[in-house]
Amino acid sequence: MSEILKRLSDEGVSIWLDDISRERLRTGNLAELVKDKHVVGVTSNPTIFAKALSKGSAYDDQVRDLAVRGVDVEEASRAITTYDIRWGCDVLRPVYDRTDGLDGRVSIEVDPRLALDTRRTVAEARALWWLVDRPNLFIKIPATEAGLPAITGALAEGISVNVTLIFSLERYGKVIDAFFEGLEKARENGHDLSKIASVASFFVSRVDTEIDKRLDKIGSAEAKALRSKAALANARLAYALYEEKSGTDRWKALKDAGARPQRPLWASTGVKDPDLSDTLYVDELVAPGTVNTMPEATLVAVADHGQIRGDTVRGTYDDARAHMAALKDAGVDYDDVVRVLEEEGVEKFAVSWKEMLDSIRGELESKRAGA
């Protein structure tokens, strides 16, 4: 057991793995990470599934059966992905039970092509909830404008939600309000609020990537001095907003009714700039009641040489605000940055979804031809 990862967990940060595959499940690797690396949750996305399907033979038997049955590619994709997620939920179920439902969660994303369609997003969330049929499931819904009412709608039906692709502070505030509204409607619908969970996935490294690109284009010494600090400032101010909203009468009423907090989840925490510490977005985002979902390479790096030195979020808000103000003065348009990042995020997942479907389609045709 890594002492560094234990320290991180002891600080109130839940360690989740940002990856899943049939091979990882079949070999027992996920169970080993739970046992040895303090992993207490799993997230997935279309890119992760596209990558998993492109490697090895772990999916061959299921794809062959789907081909024999004549299942179309859309339903085959649901059958394949929900099988992995259901298996992952079963591996994490002891954690779910031990933590009284706080952790032990596994996330699956709705079809990203529906990101701008509220009604179909809710219908897809409902279908995935039924298909996986595990209490420790999270349905991932993107925090687009159309996604906000879908988040509320899913929660109102008692579906636990991982809100994904959050980049801006303004949008995060709306996500929290959508969470509150969903719980209020769930209570009206007779659901037990203590059984409904949610996290809000605030993306980190992509913010630095986009802003640093703009700072480099500006090119001044003042601009270059601001590099690689925006992502942490943005995330820390998100936690400040979480604390602010947690102090409202609206939340207190829901909490009194048994509701659980919607925990901030730090996503995209793999460092993309080789000049930065590979554990930066873990070491500098330690705060109680948060989740950090890491690619395996980041998890291994943190276990080996992470610098966990207590809370690195609270007490930083004034500096974070000053940094965001300095970016504005330097000519960086924050609103445009987060708009671009959201559009690119939706598009990247849609492209990965198409790659996954194309891979499944090719495998189905191959199996049918060889039958």
Side-chain angles (χ1 to χ4, degrees), residues 185 217 330:
K185 290 184 175 181
K217 188 174 182 180

Side-chain angles (χ1 to χ4, degrees), residues 8 269 279-286 292 294 298 302 308:
L8 182 61
T269 55
T279 64
L280 176 70
Y281 301 127
V282 179
D283 298 342
E284 300 298 333
L285 290 175
V286 176
N292 197 310
M294 311 175 201
T298 302
V302 173
I308 308 305

Side-chain angles (χ1 to χ4, degrees), residues 210-220 222-224 226 322-337:
E210 180 63 26
I211 288 181
D212 286 358
K213 181 172 64 176
R214 298 182 185 215
L215 290 170
D216 289 343
K217 188 174 182 180
I218 293 168
S220 67
E222 293 80 7
K224 290 181 179 179
L226 297 173
H323 184 77
M324 301 309 280
L327 287 171
K328 183 178 180 180
D329 291 343
V332 174
D333 185 339
Y334 175 81
D335 291 339
D336 186 64
V337 167

Side-chain angles (χ1 to χ4, degrees), residues 65-84:
D65 287 345
L66 292 167
V68 169
R69 290 171 51 212
V71 172
D72 69 32
V73 68
E74 297 282 348
E75 286 306 310
S77 71
R78 287 190 183 89
I80 290 167
T81 57
T82 57
Y83 186 97
D84 281 4

Side-chain angles (χ1 to χ4, degrees), residues 96 100 105 129 135 158-160 191-197 258 260:
Y96 173 81
D100 192 28
R105 302 278 179 170
W129 188 253
I159 296 172
S160 293
H191 291 288
D192 180 353
L193 297 191
S194 70
K195 302 298 183 185
I196 305 171
R260 300 167 176 264

Side-chain angles (χ1 to χ4, degrees), residues 338-357:
V338 294
R339 178 191 61 78
V340 167
L341 288 172
E342 180 180 300
E343 290 176 356
E344 286 182 351
V346 171
E347 176 61 24
K348 284 176 182 176
F349 282 166
V351 168
S352 294
W353 191 268
K354 182 179 181 301
E355 290 173 357
M356 181 185 74
L357 292 181

Side-chain angles (χ1 to χ4, degrees), residues 301-312:
V302 173
D304 180 66
H305 54 266
Q307 300 293 316
I308 308 305
R309 57 189 191 283
D311 189 332
T312 50

Side-chain angles (χ1 to χ4, degrees), residues 78-315:
R78 287 190 183 89
I80 290 167
T81 57
T82 57
Y83 186 97
D84 281 4
I85 296 298
R86 189 180 306 110
W87 192 346
C89 283
D90 290 343
V91 172
L92 271 295
R93 182 59 186 267
V95 176
Y96 173 81
D97 292 338
R98 173 169 50 82
T99 62
D100 192 28
L102 179 68
D103 285 309
R105 302 278 179 170
V106 182
S107 299
I108 186 171
E109 189 150 351
V110 296
D111 184 337
R113 298 171 300 178
L114 309 179
L116 305 180
D117 189 324
T118 300
R119 186 175 62 88
R120 291 182 67 193
T121 294
V122 174
E124 184 75 3
R126 192 183 298 121
L128 292 171
W129 188 253
W130 289 339
L131 278 168
V132 176
D133 192 27
R134 295 293 187 272
N136 51 331
L137 176 68
F138 269 139
I139 304 297
K140 290 179 78 172
I141 298 176
T144 58
E145 284 288 350
L148 295 172
I151 293 159
T152 295
L155 289 164
E157 296 191 24
I159 296 172
S160 293
V161 175
N162 177 342
V163 183
T164 188
L165 288 178
I166 308 171
F167 297 97
S168 82
L169 296 168
E170 179 186 14
R171 184 62 56 80
Y172 180 40
K174 291 181 178 180
V175 165
I176 297 173
D177 289 341
F179 168 66
F180 288 170
E181 185 180 355
L183 291 187
E184 288 160 353
K185 290 184 175 181
R187 183 174 54 184
E188 292 171 6
N189 293 337
H191 291 288
D192 180 353
L193 297 191
S194 70
K195 302 298 183 185
I196 305 171
S198 184
V199 292
S201 296
F202 204 87
F203 279 53
V204 182
S205 66
R206 296 188 195 182
V207 173
D208 270 345
T209 300
E210 180 63 26
I211 288 181
D212 286 358
K213 181 172 64 176
R214 298 182 185 215
L215 290 170
D216 289 343
K217 188 174 182 180
I218 293 168
S220 67
E222 293 80 7
K224 290 181 179 179
L226 297 173
R227 291 183 88 260
S228 307
K229 300 173 184 175
L232 292 176
N234 198 41
R236 286 165 171 168
L237 292 177
Y239 193 82
L241 182 57
Y242 163 72
E243 288 190 311
E244 178 187 328
K245 292 277 191 177
S246 297
T248 61
D249 290 340
R250 190 179 187 188
W251 169 245
K252 289 174 183 175
L254 287 166
K255 184 179 179 181
D256 289 344
R260 300 167 176 264
Q262 182 188 56
R263 291 186 293 169
L265 179 151
W266 311 128
S268 184
T269 55
V271 175
K272 296 175 174 60
D273 185 340
D275 292 332
L276 301 177
S277 165
D278 55 1
T279 64
L280 176 70
Y281 301 127
V282 179
D283 298 342
E284 300 298 333
L285 290 175
V286 176
T290 58
V291 178
N292 197 310
T293 185
M294 311 175 201
E296 188 170 17
T298 302
L299 177 70
V300 170
V302 173
D304 180 66
H305 54 266
Q307 300 293 316
I308 308 305
R309 57 189 191 283
D311 189 332
T312 50
V313 173
R314 293 181 297 184

